[in-house]
């Protein structure tokens, strides 16, 4: 359905937030919503509460009411906007193609312009959004510090003395399942270039991420090696930085644009054929850099060049690469009787990354790869396309709702009787590790990034970096 341009209302708002929303929101997108309700069953918060304002349609109605001067935005309005997971499951089912993700980010950007955070929240936001995430050397320092905490015995002391009880329950739970931090990132371990095995198909660049290169550096290394096995020369531009996704989701749009410019230049200078992401949350913003910078004439063309080259690791392997042969080893623990009858060694299931599925349209390729693993039985999880509750830092800022959503997810995960629960995004991976831990399934179910699972099944002795 084509969009219809209505034009913004000519209103002088007395409320500062309403004025800012009128300036920043795409009014055409607000008026495109037909209120058909197709988005309701797709929305995780609406499914949990059944309350209209907890749906995309309801939130759009609230946004439009503020912009049209029908209502004054109060704290309840702000809370409702912040209660959205930003999973964007509403977009694929919308017959009017409403860009809800852009609307919620524009609204949060406006809210943040007028937010009155306490000293602790303001300090924390400034520290991480401006002081840590954009600076790779500081992220490395954070990684080394976290590794020291984990390896020196300080972690055991903190847990044993009860210091962790000073933190909220959900923070203690997340600390329990954090993976070992890396003191060296992917570039420090394998260099800035890695050659293809066999005839080269194309030259690709790895987007290494910020948190990804600290908590999941092994996955970055395995991504490079998997791409090499599939026939790609891999370049890792050293000057790249944080993608800006957490900034965009949290109303820090100007900072997200600054980060986008850094990355566009870094990858344009590298002159690669494709830009590969192994994190659905990062990839979803990277593929929309053209929209993020479309009003900046000096960057719009290069941003469009960048956005059209972004591709998920699974998609490029399936669509462009020479997919290696994957063989499953014997399963650890008991194999479900129904699976044993098929001769499979282990059962694997998959939790979609919302942003990979809904924004990058990358739900098919991971399944093709998993089904190509010999000796493994792929069991589709019920509602695998529903958000797990991670949603960036949502499980930290909205722990109650995130916990409810995770409980439903674990009901479906447990029903698969899978030994391996795979996903394509670090946030989802941590959330599923948390769910497995809370359900006492650590002995017979393992959450893994799909890259690590696949690479382990082609890895050979002597390949370690």
């Amino acid at each position: 359905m084509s969009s219809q341009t209505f034009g913004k209302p000519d209103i002088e708002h007395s409320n500062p937030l309403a004025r800012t929303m009128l300036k920043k929101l795409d009014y055409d997108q607000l008026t495109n919503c037909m209120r058909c309700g197709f988005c309701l069953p797709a929305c995780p918060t609406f499914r949990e509460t059944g309350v209209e304002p907890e749906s995309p349609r309801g939130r759009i109605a609230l946004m439009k009411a503020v912009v049209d001067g029908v209502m004054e935005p109060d704290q309840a309005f702000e809370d409702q906007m912040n209660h959205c997971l930003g999973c964007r499951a509403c977009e694929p089912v919308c017959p009017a193609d409403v860009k809800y993700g852009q609307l919620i980010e524009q609204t949060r950007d406006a809210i943040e312009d007028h937010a009155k955070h306490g000293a602790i929240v303001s300090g924390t936001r400034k520290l991480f959004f401006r002081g840590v995430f954009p600076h790779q050397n500081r992220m490395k320092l954070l990684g080394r510090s976290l590794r020291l905490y984990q390896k020196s015995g300080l972690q055991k002391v903190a847990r044993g003395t009860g210091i962790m009880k000073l933190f909220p329950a959900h923070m203690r739970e997340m600390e329990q399942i954090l993976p070992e931090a890396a003191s060296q990132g992917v570039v420090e371990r394998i260099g800035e270039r890695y050659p293809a095995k066999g005839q080269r198909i194309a030259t690709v660049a790895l987007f290494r991420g910020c948190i990804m290169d600290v908590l999941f550096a092994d996955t970055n290394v395995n991504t490079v090696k998997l791409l090499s096995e599939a026939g790609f020369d891999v370049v890792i531009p050293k000057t790249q930085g944080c993608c800006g996704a957490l900034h965009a989701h949290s109303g820090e749009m100007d900072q997200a644009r600054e980060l986008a410019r850094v990355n566009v230049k870094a990858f344009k200078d590298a002159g690669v054929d494709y830009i590969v992401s192994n994190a659905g949350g990062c990839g979803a913003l990277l593929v929309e850099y053209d929209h993020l910078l479309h009003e900046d004439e000096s960057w719009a063309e290069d941003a469009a060049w960048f956005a059209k080259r972004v591709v998920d690791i699974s998609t490029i392997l399936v669509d462009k690469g020479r997919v290696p042969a994957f063989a499953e080893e014997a399963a650890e623990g008991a194999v479900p009787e129904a699976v044993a009858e098929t001769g499979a060694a282990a059962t694997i299931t998959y939790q979609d990354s919302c942003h990979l599925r809904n924004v990058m349209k990358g739900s098919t390729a991971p399944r093709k790869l998993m089904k190509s693993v010999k000796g493994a039985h792929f069991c589709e999880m019920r509602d695998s396309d529903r958000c797990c509750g991670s949603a960036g830092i949502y499980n930290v800022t909205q722990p109650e709702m995130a916990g409810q959503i995770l409980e439903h997810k674990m009901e479906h995960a447990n029903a698969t009787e899978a030994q391996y629960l795979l996903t394509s995004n670090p946030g989802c991976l941590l959330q599923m590790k948390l769910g497995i831990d809370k359900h006492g399934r650590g002995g017979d179910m393992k959450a893994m990034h799909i890259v690590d699972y696949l690479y382990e099944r082609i890895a050979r002795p002597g390949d370690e970096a």
Side-chain angles (χ1 to χ4, degrees):
M1 178 174 293
S2 61
S3 62
Q4 181 179 356
T5 301
F6 288 85
K8 293 187 177 182
D10 185 14
I11 298 175
E12 283 293 332
H13 290 288
S14 59
N15 184 282
L17 175 54
R19 286 200 298 271
T20 304
M21 287 179 61
L22 177 61
K23 177 182 177 182
K24 292 191 172 186
L25 264 67
D26 184 337
Y27 197 74
D28 285 349
Q29 292 300 325
L30 285 178
T31 53
N32 274 352
C33 178
M34 304 183 300
R35 300 188 58 78
C36 64
F38 283 10
C39 61
L40 302 184
C43 176
T45 52
F46 180 81
R47 283 163 63 95
E48 289 297 320
T49 65
V51 177
E52 176 72 15
E54 291 275 13
S55 70
R57 180 178 71 178
R59 291 189 178 100
I60 289 174
L62 291 174
M63 296 173 196
K64 189 171 185 300
V66 169
V67 171
D68 288 345
V70 176
M71 66 171 280
E72 293 280 306
D74 55 11
Q75 188 59 50
F77 169 82
E78 295 184 22
D79 290 344
Q80 193 55 259
M81 297 302 112
N82 290 327
H83 216 210
C84 171
L85 290 121
C87 69
R88 297 173 67 169
C90 51
E91 293 187 11
V93 299
C94 178
D97 193 29
V98 176
K99 307 300 183 187
Y100 174 81
Q102 296 173 12
L103 288 173
I104 194 68
E105 287 182 355
Q106 290 162 0
T107 300
R108 287 174 173 171
D109 186 26
I111 289 172
E112 192 56 34
D113 283 352
H114 302 279
K116 296 179 181 178
H117 299 302
I120 294 178
V121 173
S122 294
T124 302
R125 288 177 66 98
K126 185 176 181 180
L127 171 65
F128 285 99
F129 286 152
R130 296 187 175 273
V132 178
F133 293 150
H135 307 282
Q136 195 64 29
N137 59 333
R138 296 176 189 176
M139 287 299 299
K140 291 176 185 176
L141 177 60
L142 177 63
R144 288 194 290 269
S145 301
L146 182 55
R147 187 174 179 83
L148 177 65
Y149 166 74
Q150 293 171 327
K151 293 292 188 180
S152 66
L154 288 174
Q155 187 177 49
K156 291 183 179 180
V157 171
R159 292 174 179 176
T161 58
I163 293 176
M164 295 306 300
K165 292 181 180 179
L166 297 175
F167 295 89
H170 66 280
M171 296 292 286
R172 297 197 300 271
E173 292 170 349
M174 292 302 296
E175 189 269 347
Q176 291 278 351
I177 51 89
L178 278 180
E180 289 187 5
S183 57
Q184 292 184 319
V186 61
V187 170
E188 290 75 24
R189 291 174 61 178
I190 62 175
E192 295 179 49
R193 304 188 74 90
Y194 202 86
K197 288 192 176 182
Q199 185 175 359
R200 182 184 69 86
I201 295 173
T203 299
V204 304
L206 173 70
F207 187 82
R208 67 184 173 189
C210 51
I211 295 174
M212 195 76 191
D213 214 35
V214 169
L215 292 181
F216 302 96
D218 286 346
T219 305
N220 273 349
V221 171
N222 290 343
T223 299
V224 172
K225 292 185 176 183
L226 192 55
L227 286 165
S228 172
E229 292 276 353
F232 299 102
D233 279 348
V234 185
V235 177
I236 312 169
K238 201 170 184 179
T239 56
Q240 65 177 290
C242 173
C243 68
L246 292 180
H247 300 77
H249 301 332
S250 301
E252 300 280 352
M253 293 301 294
D254 288 340
Q255 182 70 10
R257 293 185 185 97
E258 288 179 23
L259 294 169
R261 295 183 187 102
V262 169
N263 288 321
V264 168
K265 184 179 188 309
F267 286 88
K268 187 73 187 294
D269 289 348
V272 294
D273 300 307
Y274 300 98
I275 299 165
V276 179
S277 168
N278 57 13
C282 295
L285 186 69
L286 298 176
V287 80
E288 292 188 340
Y289 269 9
D290 54 344
H291 170 75
L292 190 63
L293 297 176
H294 75 281
E295 293 182 350
D296 188 336
E297 292 183 3
S298 60
W299 286 93
E301 184 176 346
D302 284 349
W305 176 93
F306 181 101
K308 71 180 181 180
R309 283 167 173 77
V310 176
V311 62
D312 179 69
I313 171 66
S314 293
T315 300
I316 195 169
L317 289 176
V318 170
D319 292 350
K320 304 292 182 180
R322 294 189 296 270
V323 179
F326 302 112
E328 175 67 80
E329 78 286 356
E332 299 179 6
V335 178
E337 183 177 343
V339 176
E341 291 176 358
T342 69
T347 300
I348 55 179
T349 192
Y350 183 69
Q351 165 59 26
D352 281 284
S353 156
C354 293
H355 288 103
L356 175 58
R357 184 183 186 97
N358 299 325
V359 182
M360 300 183 75
K361 314 303 181 188
S363 63
T364 302
R367 288 168 169 80
K368 285 186 177 180
L369 291 172
M370 287 181 285
K371 291 176 181 178
S372 72
V373 177
K374 296 178 181 178
H377 168 69
F378 175 72
C379 180
E380 186 70 66
M381 186 197 312
R382 179 184 172 190
D383 287 346
S384 61
D385 59 338
R386 303 296 184 190
C387 186
C388 64
S390 172
I393 57 173
Y394 188 91
N395 52 359
V396 175
T397 61
Q398 304 286 345
E400 184 176 349
M401 178 60 74
Q404 291 177 218
I405 293 170
L406 178 59
E407 278 303 300
H408 295 315
K409 183 62 63 178
M410 286 308 302
E411 290 175 12
H412 302 322
N414 290 337
T416 66
E417 298 185 283
Q419 284 78 50
Y420 298 99
L421 198 171
L422 308 183
T423 188
S424 302
N425 186 58
C428 302
L429 180 56
L430 288 178
Q431 186 77 336
M432 300 319 300
K433 283 180 178 287
L434 176 61
I436 290 171
D437 185 66
K438 292 179 74 172
H439 279 246
R441 295 295 310 278
D444 56 6
M445 181 183 286
K446 183 178 182 180
M448 296 182 71
H449 194 292
I450 187 172
V451 163
D452 297 325
Y453 176 83
L454 293 174
Y455 183 72
E456 282 184 7
R457 278 139 191 86
I458 60 169
R460 298 171 181 85
D463 275 357
E464 291 295 320

